[in-house]
Amino acid sequence: MFDGYDSCSEDTSSSSSSDESEEEVAPLPSSLPIIKNNGQVYTYPDGKSGMATCEMCGMVGVRDAFYSKTKRFCSVSCSRSYSSNSKKASILARLQGKPPTKKAKVLQKQPLVAKLAAYAQYQATLQNQAKTKAAVPVEGFSWGNYINSNSFTAAPVTCFKHAPMGTCWGDISEGVRVEVPNTDCSLPTKVFWIAGIVKLAGYNALLRYEGFENDSSLDFWCNVCGSDIHPVGWCATSGKPLVPPRTIQHKYTNWKAFLVKRLTGAKTLPPDFSQKVSESMQYPFKTSMRVEVVDKTHLCRTRVAVVESVIGGRLRLVYEESEDKTDDFWCHMYSPLIHHIGWSRSIGHRFKRSDITKKQDAHFDAPAHLFMKVKEVDTAGEWFKEGMKLEAIDPLNLSAICVATIRKVLADGYLMIGIDGSEAADGSDWFCYHATSPSIFPVGFCEINMIELTPPRGYAKLPFKWFDYLRETDSIAAPVKLFNKEVPNHGFHVGMKLEAVDLMEPRLVCVATVTRIIHRLLRIHFDGWEDEYDQWVDCESPDLYPVGWCQLTGYQLQPPAPQSSRDNQSSSSKQKKKSKSQQYKGHKKMSSLQLKEELLDGEEYSFLQGASDQESNGSASYYIKQEP
């Protein structure tokens, strides 16, 4: 709940015995409080103590406005509560045969000691992280400039439940006040000032120093989860001076009155915000853990790999047989492509046995509970069968949704899927999707949602019609009721910026944009590249991140392609992207654009009229009725 300032007039009575009746200021409803830290006061450059902290509730406020001669409490309510607690402690002490003096004061100080200890521990953690992992700057690219110059909007952190602070971001929004370094100052030591959030873009916030009003000349971008941004009250805890920026230092003669006026009723970060950030960046996967992961050269099977490094929850996995550790694969720890040792055998999935007969002593199997759990399904009744047709995202060309066939039904709801018209004879390019996967769809999904369905390669009867194709292949469509129809309230909108993994080269995280939303399916465009390299991704994919994620975790961000590359994408940039897009070194597939040019020869696909992008965040009826 919000803990705002209580506006109280100065009173001459004792804080422990006051019986006067004063009207208290009602707290504003919010989850972001003004900081509750300790009993220290703000120190101004002239050495005077301008602000104090209530000994009862921890509220920070201007000392002159505090209650009682001693200025120990912010309101009559706190004075009475403190007095009541003192009496209770005194009675308890008498019953125990102990002297009651100063007992209540000791009880009040214990929370402060705990907070300071926790803060010291967190600062030590930050220092250790800074020594081993510094943010990776991208030369010539700034998210702040990119967003400001184009008036872009970024997807909020709450859209990414797997990212740090994704589930505990709270009400951080425009208007929240924080304490940050004052860069507009000539003092030799590092000093701070209060700033307000003007605009949010993922983890990044555009800040403006208090006192600048509508002047944006010194506005600056800062990562909210970074080490240089603190809740209001942090300076009091740390003994750091609050100094007004030099540009406006003569604007007000009474900075104390200015601050209390500006901060009364304002929100700041929770006092444990930095601790939550630190906790949300602790990852259970450790180096030397062994896992089963998809074989990038043969999608139909898995191989054993070892965790080589962990960055922001992303794992660099080195295949166990790679002696020089160059044969690797990147994925998130919640990726559906990794599993515990023994998973393949348990469900009947193909598995490449390692030539290494004995695992190295330093390596150990990752516990099964660390992996993402899939939803349990009932396979006893009507279920998927081999030969059934459906539509699926092609893992070798993620911009395309293709005509596909169930080639094998595995245990625990897993299915082996093949793309019609382009399968290898030995089935080496079949790939495994769970029945609840958001990457497989019933027959007709693309048509009703106005998505271009990629027909089987070599299929000449165009435009493609499912009814005709099922009859010609003597096949049946997989029942609609077996597919996952849940649509979460994801919060994405068309045009939002984010950082996204290029799943065809999964070590790369790129500047990207949401260009289409079909229920829970997002069309991700990589800024600066042609549309043919877009990728269909689920809204809950662990390969999507808020703006500022790379800076926060120390991962390298790939900026948009430069203008020169865009002008030459028909030649040089295409070749560059082509080489980049062959992470899965299986049978090479043509892009959807090339396929369309080859098969259609100028003809156009026809779709159901009236369908449109579904930008709502709720469930919708997006399956057409199957023809008999």
Side-chain angles (χ1 to χ4, degrees):
M1 292 298 293
F2 177 82
D3 294 307
Y5 290 107
D6 283 325
S7 299
C8 304
S9 60
E10 185 175 347
D11 192 273
T12 58
S13 60
S14 170
S15 62
S16 61
S17 59
S18 172
D19 291 326
E20 287 129 3
S21 174
E22 282 196 17
E23 186 176 347
E24 295 183 71
V25 176
L28 300 177
S30 172
S31 61
L32 293 179
I34 292 294
I35 189 65
K36 298 178 181 178
N37 263 2
N38 59 21
Q40 297 184 28
V41 294
Y42 286 101
T43 303
Y44 286 83
D46 59 4
K48 294 181 179 179
S49 298
M51 302 185 78
T53 303
C54 178
E55 293 184 16
M56 182 61 205
C57 71
M59 196 68 59
V60 177
V62 175
R63 184 179 180 84
D64 293 341
F66 264 42
Y67 181 79
S68 83
K69 289 181 178 180
T70 57
K71 309 301 181 186
R72 297 167 60 197
F73 309 102
C74 66
S75 66
V76 175
S77 175
C78 283
S79 172
R80 291 173 178 169
S81 297
Y82 186 90
S83 177
S84 175
N85 286 353
S86 298
K87 291 176 182 177
K88 291 177 182 177
S90 178
I91 294 172
L92 178 62
R94 290 193 185 99
L95 291 175
Q96 295 176 343
K98 300 177 182 178
T101 57
K102 296 186 179 180
K103 183 65 180 177
K105 209 174 273 189
V106 173
L107 290 173
Q108 290 295 330
K109 286 185 178 179
Q110 285 177 347
L112 172 60
V113 173
K115 289 176 183 176
L116 291 178
Y119 179 75
Q121 183 179 4
Y122 170 67
Q123 287 291 75
T125 302
L126 282 184
Q127 291 175 2
N128 292 335
Q129 290 178 349
K131 291 178 182 177
T132 58
K133 180 176 61 181
V136 183
V138 179
E139 185 177 355
F141 178 77
S142 164
W143 261 121
N145 295 337
Y146 191 57
I147 289 175
N148 276 347
S149 59
N150 299 280
S151 299
F152 290 140
T153 301
V157 174
T158 52
C159 290
F160 310 88
K161 305 303 181 187
H162 56 281
M165 301 299 292
T167 58
C168 53
W169 188 249
D171 295 332
I172 299 175
S173 59
E174 288 80 1
V176 168
R177 305 304 205 282
V178 293
E179 292 179 353
V180 291
N182 178 4
T183 58
D184 183 28
C185 183
S186 57
L187 296 178
T189 57
K190 189 174 184 179
V191 295
F192 296 80
W193 190 241
I194 296 172
I197 297 178
V198 178
K199 184 176 182 178
L200 268 178
Y203 292 117
N204 294 344
L206 181 63
L207 300 178
R208 180 174 301 169
Y209 289 122
E210 284 297 335
F212 275 80
E213 307 299 338
N214 296 323
D215 182 2
S216 61
S217 59
L218 288 186
D219 288 2
F220 61 98
W221 286 90
C222 184
N223 194 302
V224 176
C225 297
S227 59
D228 265 343
I229 190 166
H230 311 281
V232 172
W234 176 84
C235 284
T237 304
S238 308
K240 303 293 184 180
L242 279 173
V243 180
R246 179 174 51 185
T247 304
I248 59 169
Q249 63 183 356
H250 302 299
K251 190 174 181 180
Y252 298 95
T253 57
N254 189 343
W255 283 104
K256 300 175 188 178
F258 169 78
L259 281 181
V260 73
K261 180 179 178 181
R262 295 290 295 177
L263 297 181
T264 298
K267 296 184 291 185
T268 188
L269 302 178
D272 61 345
F273 183 77
S274 58
Q275 183 179 348
K276 287 183 178 179
V277 172
S278 179
E279 291 173 353
S280 67
M281 294 181 66
Q282 303 300 315
Y283 308 105
F285 280 86
K286 308 300 179 184
T287 56
S288 299
M289 282 186 173
R290 299 171 75 242
V291 301
E292 289 185 10
V293 64
V294 64
D295 185 343
K296 63 184 181 182
T297 61
H298 294 82
L299 299 186
C300 65
R301 68 187 185 191
T302 57
R303 296 170 61 183
V304 173
V306 179
V307 178
E308 180 69 19
S309 62
V310 183
I311 305 179
R314 294 196 64 76
L315 312 178
R316 178 178 179 256
L317 303 172
V318 175
Y319 290 113
E320 199 170 45
E321 294 173 295
S322 177
E323 295 181 359
D324 58 0
K325 296 186 177 182
T326 58
D327 190 9
D328 62 359
F329 185 82
W330 281 89
C331 67
H332 193 271
M333 62 182 182
Y334 294 147
S335 170
L337 300 178
I338 60 171
H339 310 276
H340 62 85
I341 299 296
W343 173 84
S344 297
R345 176 182 296 180
S346 67
I347 70 161
H349 193 282
R350 289 175 64 178
F351 175 76
K352 181 185 178 182
R353 294 186 180 278
S354 174
D355 293 336
I356 300 176
T357 56
K358 183 180 180 181
K359 67 180 180 182
Q360 298 183 21
D361 294 337
H363 297 167
F364 58 101
D365 296 350
H369 71 270
L370 298 185
F371 298 85
M372 197 67 176
K373 301 295 187 295
V374 294
K375 184 178 179 181
E376 293 186 4
V377 292
D378 182 14
T379 61
E382 187 176 11
W383 192 241
F384 292 100
K385 296 179 181 179
E386 291 184 18
M388 283 183 172
K389 300 292 182 181
L390 70 164
E391 298 174 5
I393 297 176
D394 185 351
L396 293 179
N397 181 13
L398 294 165
S399 67
I401 299 180
C402 307
V403 174
T405 304
I406 297 174
R407 294 304 180 189
K408 188 176 182 181
V409 179
L410 308 179
D412 296 340
Y414 287 95
L415 310 169
M416 295 302 295
I417 308 292
I419 300 297
D420 285 21
S422 57
E423 296 177 65
D426 60 355
S428 60
D429 56 356
W430 294 355
F431 49 95
C432 184
Y433 278 144
H434 192 264
T436 60
S437 170
S439 298
I440 59 174
F441 318 96
V443 163
F445 173 83
C446 285
E447 185 175 11
I448 197 171
N449 289 290
M450 297 187 68
I451 300 174
E452 182 177 306
L453 176 66
T454 302
R457 188 173 183 181
Y459 187 73
K461 191 175 180 180
L462 300 175
F464 179 85
K465 294 292 183 183
W466 263 115
F467 180 75
D468 295 336
Y469 185 70
L470 291 175
R471 184 171 53 190
E472 292 167 6
T473 57
D474 193 24
S475 306
I476 61 172
V480 173
K481 65 181 181 180
L482 299 182
F483 291 85
N484 180 11
K485 294 181 283 293
E486 295 180 3
V487 181
N489 186 19
H490 50 70
F492 287 102
H493 296 285
V494 169
M496 282 182 168
K497 296 292 178 181
L498 69 164
E499 298 177 4
V501 175
D502 180 353
L503 293 171
M504 301 310 296
E505 182 70 25
R507 65 183 177 85
L508 302 180
V509 178
C510 311
V511 173
T513 307
V514 178
T515 57
R516 285 194 72 181
I517 300 176
I518 309 295
H519 309 288
R520 66 179 300 146
L521 196 62
L522 309 181
R523 181 81 169 181
I524 301 299
H525 173 76
F526 298 103
D527 289 20
W529 296 102
E530 288 183 326
D531 294 346
E532 66 175 289
Y533 305 117
D534 291 359
Q535 297 179 2
W536 288 109
V537 181
D538 182 61
C539 65
E540 295 183 340
S541 168
D543 295 305
L544 303 178
Y545 307 102
V547 166
W549 178 86
C550 282
Q551 180 189 11
L552 176 63
T553 61
Y555 207 96
Q556 179 69 56
L557 176 66
Q558 303 299 314
Q563 186 64 42
S564 58
S565 295
R566 298 179 210 173
D567 294 339
N568 300 314
Q569 274 186 1
S570 58
S571 55
S572 60
S573 82
K574 267 190 183 181
Q575 294 172 1
K576 180 180 178 181
K577 187 71 176 183
K578 288 292 183 186
S579 62
K580 172 185 165 197
S581 301
Q582 298 303 320
Q583 175 64 33
Y584 291 122
K585 298 179 177 63
H587 294 269
K588 185 175 181 180
K589 298 231 175 131
M590 303 177 70
S591 70
S592 59
L593 185 60
Q594 290 175 309
L595 190 60
K596 180 178 178 180
E597 290 173 350
E598 178 181 311
L599 297 181
L600 299 186
D601 193 23
E603 294 186 62
E604 298 292 335
Y605 285 114
S606 61
F607 300 98
L608 288 182
Q609 299 298 317
S612 62
D613 288 8
Q614 303 295 322
E615 296 187 27
S616 62
N617 293 329
S619 299
S621 177
Y622 55 90
Y623 300 125
I624 66 171
K625 183 178 180 181
Q626 292 177 239
E627 299 181 67

